[in-house]
Amino acid sequence: MVQANYFDGRSTRVRPVNLSVIGEDLIVVGDDVDMRLPFARVKVDERLGRAPRRLRLDDGAFCEVRDLRALDGLLSSVGHRDGWVDYIQRQRQFVLLALVVCVIGAFGAYKWGLPWAAATGAKHLSPAIGRTLSTQTLKVLDGSILLPSTIAEEQQRELSTAFHAMRLPEGGSPKSALLFRRSRQLGANAFTLPDGTIIVLDDLITALGDDRQTLAVLAHELGHAHERHGLQMLLRSSAVGAFLTFYVGDVSTLLAAAPAAVVEARYSREFEQQADDYAAALLRLNGMSPASLADALTRLAELQPALSKGGYLASHPATDERIRRLRLLAASPAPR
């Protein structure tokens, strides 16, 4: 006999019963309960530590057994064997192995899965979403972090004309809007919005003091726009927002995260190399040397103590390594 509590599945009433086995049948006897049914029709729940175990009967009824050792004896009398999943759940070595696999899986998903999903998503995201994100981001930043530019309008026009006259490696000319702003908080900086719009700040232009070097920096930003790095970083930083955008069409989470993601962007070494390679190809195509970008980075590095902490080098790390690589690219023959 095994003592159990019987629930009929229709009420919360608890009825003490005794369980036994005759032949291949399970016998359930107690107050107002007298059942006999083939054990083959009984479903035995998996063992969960020392928690009571349930035997599921017909029509939603079940018996809950607390004496697990007595239940094991009853189950063995009818030749019942727990499944392999139930078995390995109670083996310490398998539990530890499962934990290690979960940790490795989580690391792999973060290290490779999330970047792959972000890159794929950024390529297929509707341009309308990028425009919406950029418009709303600019609304948040303008008047607070970003202020109207004080660069002479003639110099703005000259830079904008030279920028839009450049030929792109993939053909055509830049479609990205070029906007001039100033910022006390961001200092000498330039950054790209999700739709490819490039914001160039006054302090960057005055710190460089050379339009060719400024154009080289803008060529690098075009590399970020071409690879949609801004959108990739935004999708990486908000996996939930990415899910809602793709499957529900709700961009509110991305809209909330976009301003901070744009201003506080910290590009990876891979992204920087991709943007530098794009800039080098673009500069050569337009009769300029990749050394112009190296010169710009060198100039900013020299002035860094005098510039705002939020300057261009802060958001574009590994400067020394990039300068060396750009000078090597400048010294090497142009690819045919």
Side-chain angles (χ1 to χ4, degrees):
M1 290 287 185
V2 176
Q3 294 181 342
N5 289 324
Y6 174 83
F7 298 84
D8 61 14
R10 295 183 295 274
S11 69
T12 58
R13 182 183 175 187
V14 181
R15 304 177 190 177
V17 295
N18 290 318
L19 308 180
S20 60
V21 171
I22 298 179
E24 296 182 353
D25 293 343
L26 175 67
I27 309 300
V28 183
V29 178
D31 295 341
D32 301 327
V33 180
D34 189 353
M35 299 178 61
R36 179 170 183 158
L37 70 161
F39 203 92
R41 287 163 49 187
V42 177
K43 295 181 180 179
V44 183
D45 283 1
E46 295 178 358
R47 183 193 297 268
L48 296 175
R50 297 180 180 180
R53 204 169 179 187
R54 291 181 177 181
L55 279 64
R56 300 190 179 274
L57 313 177
D58 293 333
D59 300 327
F62 62 89
C63 292
E64 191 174 79
V65 182
R66 294 184 177 276
D67 189 344
L68 300 183
R69 182 173 298 180
L71 178 61
D72 287 341
L74 183 142
L75 294 177
S76 64
S77 70
V78 293
H80 173 84
R81 290 186 178 181
D82 293 326
W84 66 272
V85 173
D86 183 68
Y87 172 76
I88 64 174
Q89 285 179 155
R90 290 183 276 115
Q91 305 302 310
R92 180 173 299 178
Q93 63 270 30
F94 287 111
V95 174
L96 292 175
L97 177 62
L99 181 61
V100 171
V101 170
C102 287
V103 171
I104 294 174
F107 175 79
Y110 178 79
K111 181 72 175 178
W112 297 288
L114 183 57
W116 174 84
T120 302
K123 289 179 181 178
H124 294 90
L125 202 64
S126 168
I129 293 178
R131 288 192 295 270
T132 299
L133 291 170
S134 298
T135 299
Q136 295 302 317
T137 296
L138 200 55
K139 284 183 179 179
V140 171
L141 298 180
D142 268 342
S144 55
I145 293 178
L146 299 182
L147 301 172
S149 173
T150 58
I151 297 294
E153 291 186 6
E154 183 179 355
Q155 186 177 3
Q156 291 186 30
R157 284 195 300 270
E158 290 176 354
L159 274 172
S160 184
T161 299
F163 172 75
H164 288 104
M166 290 193 296
R167 292 179 296 158
L168 300 179
E170 66 272 23
S173 56
K175 298 296 189 293
S176 298
L178 182 62
L179 302 180
F180 296 87
R181 297 289 191 273
R182 65 184 172 90
S183 174
R184 300 185 186 92
Q185 295 90 340
L186 303 181
N189 215 330
F191 53 89
T192 306
L193 298 181
D195 69 343
T197 296
I198 297 175
I199 309 294
V200 57
L201 301 182
D202 290 4
D203 285 353
L204 180 71
I205 297 173
T206 56
L208 294 176
D210 184 315
D211 286 354
R212 290 177 69 85
Q213 291 183 19
T214 302
L215 286 173
V217 170
L218 297 180
H220 177 86
E221 291 303 314
L222 278 173
H224 286 310
H226 179 262
E227 298 294 338
R228 310 196 85 177
H229 289 158
L231 272 176
Q232 289 190 49
M233 291 185 64
L234 185 56
L235 293 175
R236 287 190 192 188
S237 67
S238 180
V240 173
F243 173 82
L244 292 175
T245 299
F246 283 110
Y247 293 98
V248 183
D250 180 6
V251 299
S252 59
T253 303
L254 289 184
L255 282 173
V262 167
V263 171
E264 298 176 6
R266 296 293 185 272
Y267 290 116
S268 67
R269 179 176 299 181
E270 177 188 6
F271 282 3
E272 291 295 357
Q273 183 172 319
Q274 290 175 359
D276 282 345
D277 288 346
Y278 185 92
L282 188 153
L283 291 170
R284 276 179 160 162
L285 184 62
N286 290 274
M288 300 170 65
S289 170
S292 297
L293 180 55
D295 292 341
L297 295 176
T298 301
R299 175 64 175 165
L300 292 173
E302 292 172 349
L303 296 174
Q304 188 66 28
L307 298 176
S308 169
K309 293 181 179 179
Y312 194 74
L313 301 185
S315 57
H316 295 69
T319 306
D320 291 341
E321 178 183 337
R322 291 176 58 206
I323 291 172
R324 286 194 297 271
R325 189 169 180 276
L326 284 165
R327 296 205 183 281
L328 287 174
L329 288 174
S332 64
R336 295 181 180 180

